[in-house]
């Protein structure tokens, strides 16, 4: 099926716009054999999920032969990660579109708030991302180079409970925006509205019209994505809720409807629960694909890729395995037919801290400040400057430096060296969601101590002669975390009890590093030599 405005019309920006050798800046990881999850089977097929990590509410576009994805980042910063691929299977992180969230309250951790369900588009020679902050309103940011500088977020429409915006620029030059409502803020969860928008994306021009409300059939509907193909207006929207829902396609001949609806993907007989919310994309050769998430509990919303077939101007997403006319997710499938062979690549995780900038896989737990860290104070190490303790439970600490769980089972290890022996310094390796646990070092009046922290409670495991240490966590099936400790040359020994990680609010569990001050002094610091992932824990 060909679109009314073929995506080849969205020609890749010229090299001047992309700052020269843009593609060479993509951080390919090769080989990826030591990564906990690799979706490319290296035989012309791929396996789902294509990203076994918490990349919620994905949206995707093709520009020339390049694919770009962005996802929800909620309260963490930098926000709106930008991922790049050449085949929809092998992805790396190339940038973030938002440095800090545009409201002062995000100086503190705001669980479940922040950036929800963005949409990415390429229009009029530049990239656009529309996103919602459900307590503040709908924003837009733009860039000519997705790996370069994005504009400061602009408030398109203030309003509490407005979520999941997606733009459409029509053939006549007019522009529209579809959005949903958050029940937690607006008391509504089953309405989609289309509104007229200024073509420059700066503001909405009116209330528009409610285009879909069918609570008996689709008791929750949200996350709409807007398309126009062959004279049809399409809105793809997830319905039925995150954990157990389905994917709906709406279509109409008029932008304001009336829209007819059809379920185009569901779980069916597969183990892939709630398959929905994502983006539709067309290849140069006319193939269509759909990138979406699956709620995987403690691992967050992991990303899947489905083939798309068109039947009577309706998309069927996945494969109709049980002949009910509705697609079901595929566990493994032939890779998309792209023009050039692609190398195996995965989103970045392990870090030797050898760059002059913080690697893009890291994010802070709230709006961050440059004085929280340095990669230059001790070359080859990351220095975290201790910040005052915000709360006994680390889940409320803004200065946690975190990553996503990258697979169902994995090991993560770091080497930390507290600096200057400042009393009250605590630094270590943390797993955080709704609850937290950490193995850490504390500098006490009696010297350095190894500490196990579970939420607000701390337990001194033992005094240690040298503060420098290797800290490790092994995460097994279901998110059970086992912490361990070793001196610089000794064997690892277990610390504390196994900890059952829990997801956060709308996000999966995260892990990372931190440095806090338990007392009045805030000039202590800790240096980290590396942060390394490997596929398995101890034999």
């Amino acid at each position: 099926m060909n679109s009314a405005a073929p995506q080849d019309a969205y020609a890749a920006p010229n090299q001047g716009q992309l700052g020269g050798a843009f593609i060479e800046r993509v951080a390919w990881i090769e080989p990826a054999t030591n990564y906990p999850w690799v979706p490319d089977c290296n035989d012309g097929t791929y396996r789902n999920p294509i990203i076994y990590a918490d990349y919620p509410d994905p949206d995707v576009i093709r520009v020339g032969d390049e694919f770009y994805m962005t996802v929800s980042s909620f309260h963490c910063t930098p926000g709106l990660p930008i991922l790049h691929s050449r085949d929809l299977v092998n992805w790396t992180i190339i940038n973030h579109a938002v440095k800090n969230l545009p409201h002062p309250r995000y100086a503190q951790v705001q669980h479940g708030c922040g950036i929800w369900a963005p949409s990415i588009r390429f229009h009029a020679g530049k990239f656009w991302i529309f996103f919602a902050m459900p307590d503040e309103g709908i924003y837009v940011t733009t860039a000519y180079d997705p790996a370069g500088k994005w504009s400061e977020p602009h408030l398109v429409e203030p309003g509490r409970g407005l979520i999941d915006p997606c733009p459409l620029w029509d053939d006549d030059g007019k522009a529209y925006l579809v959005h949903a409502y958050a029940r937690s803020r607006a008391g509504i969860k089953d309405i989609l509205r289309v509104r007229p928008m200024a073509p420059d994306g700066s503001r909405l021009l009116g209330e528009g019209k409610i285009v879909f409300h069918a609570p008996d059939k689709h008791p929750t509907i949200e996350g709409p994505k807007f398309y126009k193909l062959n004279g049809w207006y399409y809105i793809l929207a997830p319905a039925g809720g995150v954990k157990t829902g389905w994917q709906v396609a709406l279509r109409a001949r008029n932008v304001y409807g009336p829209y007819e609806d059809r379920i185009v993907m569901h779980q069916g007989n597969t183990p892939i629960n709630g398959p929905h919310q994502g983006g539709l994309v067309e290849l140069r050769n006319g193939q269509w694909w759909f990138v979406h998430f699956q709620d995987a509990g403690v691992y967050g919303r992991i990303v899947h890729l489905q083939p798309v077939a068109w039947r009577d101007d309706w998309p069927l997403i996945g494969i109709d395995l049980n002949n009910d006319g509705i697609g079901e997710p595929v566990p493994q499938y032939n890779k998309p037919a792209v023009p050039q062979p692609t190398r195996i690549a995965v989103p970045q995780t392990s870090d030797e801290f050898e760059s002059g900038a913080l690697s893009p896989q890291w994010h802070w737990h709230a709006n961050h400040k440059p004085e929280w860290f340095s990669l230059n104070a001790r070359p080859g190490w990351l220095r975290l400057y201790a910040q005052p303790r915000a709360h006994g439970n680390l889940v409320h600490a803004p200065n946690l430096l975190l990553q996503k769980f990258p697979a169902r089972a994995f090991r993560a290890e770091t080497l930390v060296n507290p600096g200057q022996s400042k009393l009250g310094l605590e630094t270590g390796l943390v797993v955080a969601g709704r609850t937290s646990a950490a193995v850490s070092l504390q500098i006490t009046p009696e010297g350095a101590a190894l500490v196990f922290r579970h939420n607000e409670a701390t337990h001194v495991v033992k005094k240690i002669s040298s503060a420098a240490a290797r800290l490790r966590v092994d995460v097994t099936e279901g998110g059970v975390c086992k912490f361990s400790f070793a001196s610089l040359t000794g064997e690892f020994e277990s610390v504390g009890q196994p900890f059952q990680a829990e997801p956060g609010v709308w996000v999966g569990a995260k892990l990372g590093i931190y440095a806090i001050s338990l007392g009045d002094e805030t000039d202590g610091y800790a240096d980290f030599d590396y942060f390394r992932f490997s596929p398995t824990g101890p034999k």
Side-chain angles (χ1 to χ4, degrees), residues 34 211 419 511:
N34 200 41
V211 297
L511 78 164

Side-chain angles (χ1 to χ4, degrees), residues 160-344:
R160 182 172 169 82
L162 307 178
I163 59 170
D164 307 349
C166 185
L168 174 74
W169 286 272
D170 211 340
D171 305 327
D172 59 4
K174 294 181 179 179
Y176 304 89
L177 190 87
V178 63
H179 68 80
Y181 293 89
R183 180 175 61 176
S184 58
R185 275 76 168 179
I188 303 169
K189 64 169 186 172
D190 49 20
I191 287 175
L192 300 181
R193 182 183 291 273
V194 171
R195 302 175 68 173
M197 181 176 71
D200 65 358
S202 62
R203 67 194 189 281
L204 300 184
L205 302 178
E207 289 299 310
K209 183 178 179 180
I210 293 172
V211 297
F212 196 75
H213 183 216
D216 293 339
K217 296 169 65 176
H218 306 301
T220 298
I221 195 161
E222 55 192 348
K225 296 293 182 284
F226 219 167
Y227 307 92
K228 187 178 183 183
L229 309 166
N230 287 348
W232 289 101
Y233 295 90
Y234 290 93
I235 299 174
L236 268 66
V242 169
K243 293 182 181 296
T244 59
W246 49 89
Q247 180 66 38
V248 174
L250 312 175
R251 72 176 189 183
R253 288 296 189 183
N254 183 281
V255 69
Y256 291 115
Y259 282 86
E260 51 185 327
D261 65 291
R262 177 177 291 188
I263 297 176
V264 294
M265 181 174 63
H266 64 171
Q267 178 173 350
N269 299 326
T270 76
I272 308 304
N273 60 294
H276 57 47
Q277 182 133 344
L280 194 64
V281 63
E282 183 186 15
L283 273 58
R284 280 191 184 274
N285 65 1
Q287 283 187 358
W288 286 83
W289 295 84
F290 186 70
V291 173
H292 68 98
F293 77 77
Q294 172 200 5
D295 188 295
V298 68
Y299 303 100
R301 303 183 194 185
I302 60 179
V303 184
H304 290 245
L305 175 66
Q306 306 298 335
V308 177
W310 289 90
R311 299 179 179 176
D312 300 323
D313 289 325
W314 287 103
L316 186 144
I317 300 174
I319 301 296
D320 183 6
L321 298 174
N322 55 9
N323 296 314
D324 62 358
I326 302 173
E328 298 176 22
V330 298
Q332 189 167 343
Y333 204 74
N334 291 330
K335 290 174 59 178
V338 295
Q340 299 294 329
T342 55
R343 291 173 287 180
I344 292 177

Side-chain angles (χ1 to χ4, degrees), residues 13 61 63 68 121-122 125-129 141-144 146 150:
I61 57 170
V63 181
Y68 301 95
R121 293 292 182 265
F122 185 75
K126 62 182 177 180
F127 294 82
W128 308 64
I129 298 178
T141 178
T142 63
Y144 289 101
W150 287 74

